[in-house]
Amino acid sequence: MNPSAWPAPAAAVANTLLVNPTIASRASARFPLALLNLAAALDRNGASRIIDGNLDRGFIDTALDALAQTRFDALGISVMGGPQVAPAIALSRAVRERFPQLPIVWGGYFPTLYPDTALNADYVDYAIRGQGERTLPELIAALRGEGPPPAQIQGLSWKLDGAPVHNPDRDFSSDDAPPLLPYAKLGDPRRYLAPTFLGRRTAVHQAALGCRFRCTFCGVAAMFGGATALPAAQRLARELGYLKHGLGADSVQFFDHNFFDREADMIPLLEVMARLELPWWCYARADALLNLSPATWTLVRKSRLRMAYIGAESPNGAMLKEIRKGTRPDQTLEVAELCRRHGVIPELSFMVAPPHDTEAATEQTFEFIREIKRINPQSEIIVYIYTPLPEASRHRKDRGKRAAAPLLDLRGEPVVFPDTPEQWTQQRWVDYACHADAPWLSDDLRRRIRDFVTVLRCRYPTVQDLRSPRWAKRGLSAMAAWRYRLRRYDRPWELDLADRLVRLRRPQASGL
Ligand code: B12
């Protein structure tokens, strides 16, 4: 189609182009679950096409070609804060330039947490907050003049004479899941099965939705406001059965927000996993695992749970209370021991360098990590910098509660968060979004954290690393042993050099 002829008359059926801008390497590409769920919802009364920038590195040209050849009612882009913002901007700009009339819709964590910021760009017309399965089809209908206007659509932020308007939130919903995700829309879905430490063809799946906890630092709490729902056992069996028998998956990573919930509700799901015999990885909480009875742990073992990612966050009970974590440091230690007994690797994540008491809290965390390693040397440790969400991006129900002291940078000036998507692409803000750096971090402490992490990851190379040969990992571990034992973390130049040759995997950046 000639773009100058835009807009073409509305086609008989609504049609939406959905794009996942590049965020991971091709080897780390996994099913774009957000777009699969949205496509399933859109296809009930219309049509959609998915372009995944993780596999298609020329995704902008592919999108422009698709728009030139077929009539679409809107372009929907999935945007997570951090490294996905820049490619999302590049796509939006390119499309706006060539197809100026086409509505551009941003959805996902970035517009949910920062709707004003997203709308502060002339290439974003609509920002969808929270779950998109109902909001997006309603918006597409409105754009076609077939349903209530945008002003009446819940969960939608839009512009009135250039000013942002935020419609009321949409309530949490858990009954939109299709009988089976439309995997065939991805071309050959087997391209998304990848070798990981779990198996040779690991698939990803989302079972439970949301999380009942409201940790102040977590994007999931901001998106779901404490709501959660587990899937029906039949649905889990159907989806995983298809992944195993239809596509040949031999293991699964759950992209849930939190898999383990109340024990009684978990048992039917664990029974499904035990029948399928697919080694698996999931997000969990220390308290939920500690609450499982011995009989349920037997089922967990049978189900082949290999690793559980648990947010330990801090060794400091007061801080855990302040961030509304709902677990205690002693539970972290206990779960490390419990997992050891049951052959499950705990992957424990920590948030160091909080804005207050920055250095002491960080050193205390290093000592706590050493204690965990003593209890269970197999524990995997992920160290993040604590970068709280801006108060305004918390869920409406949580705003104003336990408001933390204002964030100050190193000079004592208040931290001012970006207010355009472009500002979020500056390296320091990408690092903030990735929990890799914060404005209150001194050069010395930044180096100290980096050095500790280098010594730790060389001393205990992750089992998730398939690429580095065993001898190289053993060598690195031996080289790092004296530094770890004597706490001589500073400037481990020999490990940096060796690590550069071996290139150990960093799970926090790439996923499994
Ligand atoms: C898979 C994943 C990744 C993958 C990539 C995903 C992709 N897009 O290809 C990888 C591993 C690359 C990744 C990276 C990062 N991630 Co990530 N990731 C996830 C994870 C585990 C699952 C996402 C998912 O598929 N969910 C299932 C789908 C169905 O849900 P959804 O994506 O939320 O989509 C729904 C809505 O958001 C909305 N929606 C989404 N897109 C769109 C688009 C349109 C048009 C519309 C209308 C609606 C819409 O509708 C969907 C259906 O309801 C989530 C946690 C989770 N369980 O969600 C974290 C999560 C999204 N990641 C997060 C973060 C912060 C990151 C990082 C930026 C930083 C980090 N340290 O983890 C890194 C970047 C690392 C780096 N250095 O490059 C945070 C986001 C919160 C925030 N504060 O912004 C989460 C919530 C984890 C957490 N608890 O903190 N991630």
Side-chain angles (χ1 to χ4, degrees):
M1 202 191 97
N2 174 1
S4 59
W6 193 270
V13 173
N15 198 8
T16 310
L17 182 61
L18 297 170
V19 182
N20 182 31
T22 305
I23 184 175
S25 67
R26 283 178 70 98
S28 299
R30 302 291 182 266
F31 291 139
L33 295 176
L35 299 193
L36 285 171
N37 278 286
L38 293 168
L42 289 163
D43 292 357
R44 277 183 203 129
N45 291 309
S48 62
R49 173 169 170 193
I50 292 178
I51 297 174
D52 182 6
N54 284 340
L55 281 192
D56 178 354
R57 313 311 268 195
F59 72 98
I60 297 182
D61 288 339
T62 309
L64 292 173
D65 288 350
L67 290 165
Q69 281 159 18
T70 310
R71 199 212 186 263
F72 288 94
D73 294 291
L75 166 65
I77 308 178
S78 193
V79 194
M80 186 190 293
Q84 203 168 30
V85 179
I89 294 175
L91 169 66
S92 306
R93 282 208 180 121
V95 169
R96 178 61 19 117
E97 196 185 314
R98 235 174 104 200
F99 304 97
Q101 307 293 330
L102 183 76
I104 299 180
V105 188
W106 279 25
Y109 277 89
F110 185 80
T112 299
L113 299 178
Y114 314 108
D116 281 317
T117 306
L119 290 182
N120 211 356
D122 54 12
Y123 45 75
V124 180
D125 303 307
Y126 299 96
I128 287 184
R129 310 186 315 270
Q131 297 172 288
E133 285 89 339
R134 294 187 183 192
T135 315
L136 185 58
E138 284 182 22
L139 174 62
I140 301 297
L143 294 173
R144 291 168 55 83
E146 292 170 356
Q152 289 175 23
I153 299 177
Q154 291 176 345
L156 181 70
S157 292
W158 52 292
K159 293 178 195 177
L160 183 62
D161 299 329
V165 180
H166 305 295
N167 295 352
D169 285 350
R170 184 173 288 269
D171 284 341
F172 171 69
S173 153
S174 62
D175 43 15
D176 294 314
L180 192 70
L181 286 176
Y183 297 103
K185 294 191 91 110
L186 302 173
D188 180 0
R190 289 180 190 82
R191 293 182 300 169
Y192 287 90
L193 305 184
T196 68
F197 81 104
L198 294 170
R200 279 183 299 142
R201 290 178 304 278
T202 304
V204 298
H205 176 64
Q206 181 181 31
L209 273 181
C211 174
R212 66 174 72 253
F213 296 89
R214 295 191 178 168
C215 310
T216 57
F217 61 89
C218 182
V220 173
M223 169 120 25
F224 291 94
T228 191
L230 294 176
Q234 300 92 303
R235 175 173 172 245
L236 185 69
R238 194 170 49 233
E239 284 269 352
L240 294 190
Y242 173 75
L243 295 176
K244 179 173 172 170
H245 304 297
L247 298 183
D250 63 3
S251 44
V252 63
Q253 181 183 17
F254 283 96
F255 275 0
D256 287 8
H257 306 94
N258 177 34
F259 187 84
F260 279 91
D261 202 58
R262 297 192 177 120
E263 181 170 20
D265 301 331
M266 292 310 300
I267 292 173
L269 303 181
L270 292 170
E271 282 167 349
V272 170
M273 297 308 296
R275 275 199 301 277
L276 281 164
E277 300 191 312
L278 294 168
W280 56 296
W281 178 105
C282 71
Y283 288 98
R285 288 174 54 92
D287 48 1
L289 294 181
L290 290 169
N291 280 339
L292 299 181
S293 63
T296 302
W297 266 107
T298 307
L299 197 51
V300 170
R301 291 178 78 126
K302 232 175 119 198
S303 75
R304 303 202 184 174
L305 173 62
R306 289 284 314 277
M307 189 181 281
Y309 184 107
I310 301 165
E313 323 306 356
S314 168
N316 181 330
M319 169 157 163
L320 292 179
K321 266 209 178 118
E322 190 189 308
I323 60 176
R324 304 179 80 190
K325 179 71 195 179
T327 57
R328 300 184 311 269
D330 61 287
Q331 291 176 310
T332 303
L333 299 176
E334 217 181 308
V335 85
E337 161 61 17
L338 182 71
C339 286
R340 190 187 59 74
R341 276 190 274 125
H342 290 287
V344 173
I345 300 173
E347 187 175 22
L348 296 162
S349 73
F350 288 90
M351 305 191 306
V352 298
H356 307 287
D357 205 16
T358 312
E359 286 178 22
T362 303
E363 293 297 330
Q364 197 194 354
T365 307
F366 294 168
E367 284 304 304
F368 192 70
I369 290 172
R370 296 178 68 96
E371 198 176 340
I372 288 171
K373 281 290 191 186
R374 268 195 302 276
I375 294 171
N376 181 351
Q378 275 206 314
S379 310
E380 301 256 318
I381 305 291
I382 305 273
V383 175
Y384 285 124
I385 308 294
Y386 177 37
T387 50
L389 291 174
E391 175 69 20
S393 57
R394 286 166 64 178
H395 195 272
R396 105 189 105 80
K397 293 190 223 154
D398 293 328
R399 268 174 232 154
K401 281 189 199 156
R402 305 227 188 146
L407 299 172
L408 302 177
D409 68 14
L410 266 183
R411 289 167 305 160
E413 303 286 335
V415 174
V416 179
F417 284 94
D419 61 8
T420 63
E422 281 74 13
Q423 284 168 19
W424 273 108
T425 67
Q426 291 165 8
Q427 192 54 47
R428 65 195 171 114
W429 290 112
V430 173
D431 288 345
Y432 192 95
C434 290
H435 314 293
D437 205 351
W440 48 88
L441 213 59
S442 67
D443 286 345
D444 281 352
L445 187 58
R446 192 176 291 114
R447 174 188 287 273
R448 174 88 176 146
I449 295 166
R450 215 190 61 111
D451 289 350
F452 172 78
V453 171
T454 301
V455 173
L456 181 73
R457 48 198 282 284
C458 289
R459 175 69 186 86
Y460 297 102
T462 166
V463 294
Q464 298 174 43
D465 191 328
L466 299 180
R467 199 180 40 203
S468 321
R470 195 173 290 178
W471 60 262
K473 288 196 249 178
R474 280 219 195 103
L476 269 178
S477 179
M479 275 172 81
W482 72 270
R483 282 188 175 275
Y484 188 78
R485 198 173 56 246
L486 302 176
R487 294 181 173 75
R488 296 280 296 276
Y489 314 129
D490 288 350
R491 295 173 201 269
W493 59 270
E494 77 288 6
L495 299 179
D496 279 332
L497 196 70
D499 184 23
R500 220 168 295 152
L501 297 174
V502 175
R503 289 200 299 126
L504 282 178
R505 194 176 172 87
R506 292 173 163 78
Q508 63 262 56
S510 52
L512 285 193

